[in-house]
Amino acid sequence: VEAANKNAEQLSDGFAAVAERVSFEVGDARKMPFKNDSFDVVVSSGSLAFVDEPYQALSEAMRVLKPGGFLVAIEYYYNQLPPKALLEKIKMHLEVDVQKYTFDYWINGFFKAGLAIEGVEQSAAPVINPEIRFEQQKQIAEKLSPQEALTILEMDIDFGENNRFLNIGTILARKPGFGQLAIGNHPTRN
């Protein structure tokens, strides 16, 4: 959050209006401290999977959006489930049961929250260049004990393997305006 606020301040040098209109806060996505119909846009970038009840967070985003407002969410989902042993490792590392996160899981959550899907962009999860990753791992290892470095390396290998089974979906949804129903296209997975 501090880094995000600093980025907004730096950006404001050229865009003074941005700093006045953008802020970043830490809180519970399932119970935001904002009034109903407060925001034109709500953005979630890969965080919904780490909320205990993601559908409740989507409903809360719907509540704080103004009628006709947009929710932009960028979420990972499985295009194919990885082997069970890898799923268990990822669940252990993240302390989240990631198996349920499929394309349909996220789309259904938006519809259950009453949001209309305006568009979806899908792409494969990024694969990090091994040479760059090796350099990053060396830098991490220099700052940690050998056991800590080994743990981080094992996690990194597991996440790299897991990425082969993931896609990223950028979902643009709109809160219906006054008198509108949340009727939109029900996208399908590529």
Side-chain angles (χ1 to χ4, degrees):
V1 171
E2 289 175 18
N5 281 324
K6 187 173 182 173
N7 286 343
E9 288 172 18
Q10 291 171 347
L11 182 62
S12 70
D13 291 341
F15 302 95
V18 172
E20 297 170 7
R21 300 187 69 182
V22 175
S23 67
F24 301 90
E25 298 190 29
V26 174
D28 187 343
R30 300 166 301 168
K31 189 170 173 78
M32 293 185 232
F34 306 111
K35 294 179 183 176
N36 294 353
D37 305 331
S38 295
F39 299 100
D40 295 313
V41 178
V42 173
V43 177
S44 173
S45 184
S47 59
L48 290 174
F50 300 99
V51 174
D52 285 337
E53 298 158 2
Y55 283 8
Q56 185 177 346
L58 287 169
S59 294
E60 186 67 355
M62 168 79 161
R63 181 188 70 77
V64 301
L65 278 170
K66 292 178 182 177
F70 288 98
L71 170 61
V72 180
I74 302 165
E75 295 299 332
Y76 285 87
Y77 62 90
Y78 284 108
N79 59 27
Q80 175 187 348
L81 284 179
K84 189 170 185 146
L86 180 58
L87 269 175
E88 288 300 316
K89 288 179 183 180
I90 298 301
K91 181 179 178 181
M92 181 190 67
H93 295 320
L94 296 177
E95 299 178 5
V96 172
D97 184 10
V98 295
Q99 182 172 337
K100 67 183 175 187
Y101 298 128
T102 63
F103 181 80
D104 287 338
Y105 175 88
W106 291 120
I107 296 301
N108 289 336
F110 279 79
F111 279 113
K112 285 183 179 185
L115 294 155
I117 305 291
E118 296 286 328
V120 176
E121 187 72 33
Q122 301 176 68
S123 62
V127 177
I128 298 172
N129 179 317
E131 292 174 8
I132 293 172
R133 196 65 195 131
F134 179 72
E135 285 302 315
Q136 292 171 334
Q137 290 167 346
K138 280 187 359 186
Q139 292 172 6
I140 290 169
E142 292 170 0
K143 298 175 184 175
L144 301 173
S145 71
Q147 183 57 47
E148 290 170 325
L150 181 60
T151 299
I152 297 294
L153 178 60
E154 288 172 353
M155 288 174 61
D156 195 49
I157 290 169
D158 292 340
F159 288 131
E161 179 67 16
N162 189 60
N163 271 15
R164 294 184 326 118
F165 300 93
L166 292 173
N167 275 6
I168 300 173
T170 302
I171 304 165
L172 177 64
R174 181 190 295 260
K175 179 177 182 173
F178 293 110
Q180 292 179 317
L181 297 175
I183 300 173
N185 296 328
H186 196 291
T188 57
R189 185 171 64 90
N190 285 346

